[in-house]
Amino acid sequence: MIRAVTPIILLLISNIFMTFAWYGHLKYRSAALWLVILTSWGIALFEYCFQVPANRIGYETYNAAQLKTIQEVITLVVFSVFSVFYLKEQFKWNYLVGFCFIILAVFFIFKKW
């Protein structure tokens, strides 16, 4: 059970760093692009410190498609929270519909056929 949960926790942490590296600078549009790039790379280093072990450990329990699917779902959840609370953007109904289709994809990826 711990082997199944550990990669999910690591991917969650990784995605928090990733989201800030990729989108955090949008609040600081006046910052120089070169500074934003360097800062994003610095944040992304921490992302990789969690993402690589997550996939290494996770591959003992999940296959690559399952790991990628878990990562995408975590990314959408983290990004949704980030965009609403950090960027102050509205979460719209069509986003929810799209995410429901992704959850349907999760069903197909994890279903034992």
Side-chain angles (χ1 to χ4, degrees), residues 19-96:
T19 301
F20 274 95
W22 286 18
Y23 302 102
H25 61 89
L26 296 177
K27 270 184 107 168
Y28 307 99
R29 305 236 344 142
S30 63
L33 187 57
W34 67 268
L35 181 59
V36 169
I37 291 169
L38 288 177
T39 303
S40 293
W41 275 27
I43 296 169
L45 172 65
F46 293 103
E47 174 209 345
Y48 276 79
C49 289
F50 290 96
Q51 180 267 337
V52 171
N55 286 325
R56 175 76 55 104
I57 294 166
Y59 197 61
E60 295 173 9
T61 304
Y62 306 105
N63 65 39
Q66 290 171 329
L67 277 170
K68 183 61 179 172
T69 303
I70 292 167
Q71 186 269 328
E72 291 300 332
V73 169
I74 290 171
T75 296
L76 288 173
V77 170
V78 169
F79 181 78
S80 295
V81 171
F82 175 86
S83 67
V84 169
F85 291 103
Y86 186 78
L87 296 177
K88 307 294 186 210
E89 293 186 356
Q90 183 181 12
F91 190 83
K92 299 179 181 179
W93 70 269
N94 55 318
Y95 302 167
L96 181 61

Side-chain angles (χ1 to χ4, degrees), residues 7-23:
I8 294 170
I9 292 168
L10 291 172
L11 284 171
L12 177 64
I13 296 167
S14 167
N15 272 277
I16 291 168
F17 282 111
M18 178 191 75
T19 301
F20 274 95
W22 286 18
Y23 302 102

